[in-house]
C-alpha cells in the first residue's frame, strides 16, 4: 500500500534529497509561516497555534471541497477560534482532512496548513489578507499533500489496503534503468503524466496551489509520487528527472545561468498559464480573481512583468482585444466562468 512502513521511509528520503540537492527547488531555509497552523501531534486532539511570524516546518493540503456539508460545519469561525486554540477532536473534521493529518504524522511533520481550518472564514478582512498570501504559504511548505482520489472533503484519500500487482524487470541497457510491470486499473497510478483523470486537476483554486508549491506529494490507491521542479519520484519507479515546465511549477528562486532558457521572459508562458486557468471550474465565480492572484504575483516577481487583473500590463491593449471564448455559446455560470483562449 502507498503508506506502508517501507514506503514512508522512502518518501522521507525523497523529500530530504529534494530539499538538499535540487538547485531549482526551495531548501526551506527561507520564508515565513502562515498566520496560524494546525498542530497535529496530540493523538486524537489537534489545536490551532498562532505563529506570530516565526518559522515553522509544515505541510500544506490542496484538495477539492466539493459539496461537503461536513466541510461547511467544520470551518474555523470567529465563534470557535478560541476553543480551537485549546484543542478539538480530529474526528470533527471531514475524512479527507483527517487523512491528510495522518500523512503528516507518518512523515513526522508537526504542523499542517489547511485553508478552511487555519483562516477564520467569517472574518472578511482576514480572509482577504490571507487569500493574497496563500500561494506563499504553499511555496513555504515542506510539501503539499494532494489526495487525488478525493472529489470532496468527505471522500477521504481512499488509499488501498490491498497490494496491487507490481513487479520490477531488468530494462534494456540503453534505458539505464529497470522497467515496472504494474496494475494500472482502479486509480492505481498517480504519476504526473496521469493527473488529467482526477477532479483535482480541473478545479480553479488548485491550479495556483500546484504552480506555487515547493513540491507535491500525490497520493492514490496504490502508489505515492513526489513531484518537484527537477523531476518526479514514486514508490514504484524511483527517481525520474524531467525538464522543468514553467506552466507546471512557477519558479521560486532564480535559475542558474545555464538553465536560463528562451521561456524566462516569454509571453507565451503567461498566455498558456491564463489559458490553463480559465479552463478550470470554480464553485463561486466571485473567487476568479483571488484564485489567480497568487499566480500573477509570483509571475510578476520572477519575470519582472507587471500584470493587471489577469492581463499582461506591457501588452494590455493587445490582450483586451485578443482573448475570446473557446465556445461562443452562452457562458455556463454554474461551472464558474467560460474558458478563454488566445
Amino acid at each position: 500500500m502507498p503508506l506502508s512502513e517501507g514506503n514512508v521511509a522512502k518518501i522521507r528520503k525523497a523529500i530530504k534529497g529534494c530539499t538538499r540537492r535540487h538547485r531549482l527547488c526551495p531548501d526551506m531555509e527561507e520564508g515565513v509561516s502562515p498566520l496560524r497552523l494546525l498542530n497535529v501531534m496530540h493523538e486524537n486532539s489537534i489545536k490551532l497555534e498562532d505563529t506570530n511570524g516565526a518559522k515553522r516546518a509544515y505541510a500544506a493540503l490542496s484538495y477539492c471541497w466539493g459539496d461537503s456539508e461536513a466541510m461547511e460545519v467544520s470551518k474555523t469561525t470567529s465563534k470557535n477560534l478560541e476553543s480551537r486554540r485549546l484543542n478539538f477532536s480530529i474526528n470533527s473534521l471531514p475524512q479527507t482532512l483527517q487523512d491528510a493529518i495522518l500523512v503528516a504524522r507518518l512523515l513526522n511533520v508537526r504542523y499542517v496548513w489547511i485553508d478552511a481550518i487555519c483562516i477564520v472564514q467569517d472574518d472578511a478582512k482576514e480572509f482577504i489578507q490571507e487569500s493574497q498570501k496563500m500561494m506563499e504559504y504553499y511555496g513555504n511548505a515542506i510539501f503539499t499533500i494532494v489526495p487525488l482520489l478525493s472529489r470532496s472533503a468527505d471522500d477521504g484519500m481512499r488509499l488501498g489496503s490491498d497490494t496491487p500487482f507490481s513487479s520490477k524487470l531488468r530494462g534494456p541497457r540503453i534505458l539505464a534503468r529497470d522497467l515496472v510491470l504494474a496494475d494500472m486499473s482502479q486509480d492505481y497510478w498517480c504519476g504526473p503524466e496521469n493527473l488529467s483523470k482526477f477532479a483535482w486537476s480541473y478545479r480553479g483554486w488548485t491550479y495556483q496551489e500546484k504552480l506555487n508549491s515547493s513540491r507535491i506529494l500525490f497520493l492514490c490507491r496504490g502508489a505515492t509520487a513526489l513531484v518537484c521542479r527537477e523531476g518526479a519520484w514514486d514508490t514504484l519507479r524511483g527517481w525520474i528527472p524531467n525538464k522543468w515546465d514553467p506552466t507546471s511549477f512557477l519558479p521560486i528562486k532564480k535559475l542558474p545561468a545555464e538553465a536560463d532558457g528562451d521561456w524566462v521572459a516569454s509571453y507565451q508562458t503567461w498566455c498558456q498559464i491564463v489559458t490553463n486557468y480559465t479552463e478550470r471550474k470554480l464553485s463561486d465565480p466571485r473567487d476568479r480573481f483571488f484564485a489567480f492572484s497568487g499566480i500573477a504575483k509570483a509571475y510578476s516577481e520572477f519575470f519582472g512583468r507587471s500584470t493587471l487583473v489577469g492581463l499582461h500590463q506591457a501588452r494590455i491593449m493587445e490582450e483586451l482585444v485578443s482573448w475570446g471564448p473557446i465556445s461562443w455559446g452562452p457562458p455556463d455560470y454554474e461551472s464558474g466562468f467560460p474558458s478563454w483562449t488566445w
Side-chain angles (χ1 to χ4, degrees):
M1 59 185 296
L3 292 178
S4 65
E5 184 176 347
N7 280 340
V8 167
K10 293 176 182 177
I11 295 168
R12 291 177 189 163
K13 184 177 179 180
I15 294 171
K16 185 179 295 185
C18 177
T19 59
R20 291 182 176 179
R21 293 194 296 270
H22 291 171
R23 295 179 301 167
L24 306 184
C25 301
D27 54 17
M28 315 316 299
E29 294 298 323
E30 299 179 355
V32 297
S33 290
L35 179 65
R36 60 182 69 89
L37 289 167
L38 190 62
N39 189 327
V40 301
M41 292 300 189
H42 293 280
E43 297 182 356
N44 195 48
S45 293
I46 52 181
K47 66 177 181 178
L48 281 173
E49 291 186 8
D50 297 317
T51 65
N52 298 313
K55 176 66 178 175
R56 297 282 190 275
Y58 65 95
L61 175 64
S62 176
Y63 63 110
C64 300
W65 281 36
D67 299 323
S68 170
E69 294 183 7
M71 189 72 250
E72 293 297 322
V73 173
S74 65
K75 294 188 298 188
T76 294
T77 65
S78 53
K79 292 183 178 180
N80 62 23
L81 175 61
E82 290 305 318
S83 63
R84 289 189 166 188
R85 282 176 168 146
L86 297 175
N87 66 75
F88 62 105
S89 173
I90 187 176
N91 295 327
S92 66
L93 300 179
Q95 191 62 50
T96 299
L97 277 61
Q98 292 187 41
D99 290 349
I101 291 171
L102 170 63
V103 171
R105 287 175 170 175
L106 289 172
L107 296 173
N108 290 334
V109 178
R110 177 178 293 274
Y111 296 101
V112 177
W113 187 84
I114 303 173
D115 53 2
I117 308 302
C118 296
I119 299 175
V120 177
Q121 298 294 303
D122 61 349
D123 185 331
K125 182 179 179 181
E126 178 176 305
F127 182 83
I128 292 174
Q129 290 177 341
E130 290 296 282
S131 66
Q132 293 174 347
K133 299 176 183 178
M134 282 173 58
M135 294 310 104
E136 295 180 46
Y137 297 162
Y138 282 98
N140 292 334
I142 305 172
F143 56 88
T144 297
I145 301 169
V146 175
L148 284 175
L149 299 186
S150 300
R151 301 180 66 89
S152 80
D154 295 331
D155 283 352
M157 294 190 179
R158 295 194 287 166
L159 304 178
S161 57
D162 57 341
T163 305
F165 170 77
S166 65
S167 180
K168 284 191 175 183
L169 307 172
R170 185 179 297 277
R173 186 174 300 177
I174 192 173
L175 289 179
R177 60 183 175 87
D178 292 339
L179 302 177
V180 176
L181 181 65
D183 175 7
M184 305 296 283
S185 62
Q186 301 179 17
D187 299 319
Y188 175 79
W189 191 255
C190 57
E193 68 275 22
N194 201 35
L195 295 180
S196 61
K197 65 186 292 186
F198 300 104
W200 178 87
S201 298
Y202 296 96
R203 303 304 303 171
W205 279 99
T206 60
Y207 187 51
Q208 64 175 359
E209 293 165 8
K210 171 179 178 285
L211 261 64
N212 285 279
S213 287
S214 56
R215 54 195 62 81
I216 299 178
L217 187 66
F218 291 108
L219 297 109
C220 58
R221 187 178 71 90
T224 302
L226 181 73
V227 181
C228 68
R229 286 160 178 76
E230 294 201 8
W233 171 92
D234 62 61
T235 49
L236 278 180
R237 299 178 297 178
W239 172 252
I240 299 178
N242 288 321
K243 182 180 179 181
W244 177 21
D245 177 3
T247 63
S248 296
F249 278 107
L250 283 173
I252 288 183
K253 57 186 179 181
K254 291 295 183 180
L255 286 169
E258 63 270 19
D260 187 4
D262 293 338
W263 59 265
V264 171
S266 174
Y267 184 54
Q268 288 183 328
T269 298
W270 174 256
C271 293
Q272 187 60 56
I273 288 173
V274 173
T275 300
N276 292 347
Y277 173 68
T278 56
E279 291 174 350
R280 292 177 172 236
K281 296 181 179 180
L282 287 165
S283 299
D284 188 344
R286 292 172 297 181
D287 288 343
R288 69 182 70 178
F289 172 76
F290 295 111
F292 190 76
S293 60
I295 296 174
K297 181 179 179 182
Y299 178 92
S300 299
E301 289 179 352
F302 183 82
F303 293 108
R305 301 291 192 272
S306 298
T307 63
L308 182 65
V309 290
L311 300 176
H312 201 280
Q313 192 165 343
R315 304 181 69 166
I316 194 167
M317 293 306 297
E318 294 176 49
E319 294 218 346
L320 285 171
V321 299
S322 299
W323 289 91
I326 294 173
S327 171
W328 288 99
D332 179 9
Y333 292 109
E334 292 185 0
S335 66
F337 52 96
S339 297
W340 298 78
T341 186
W342 178 257

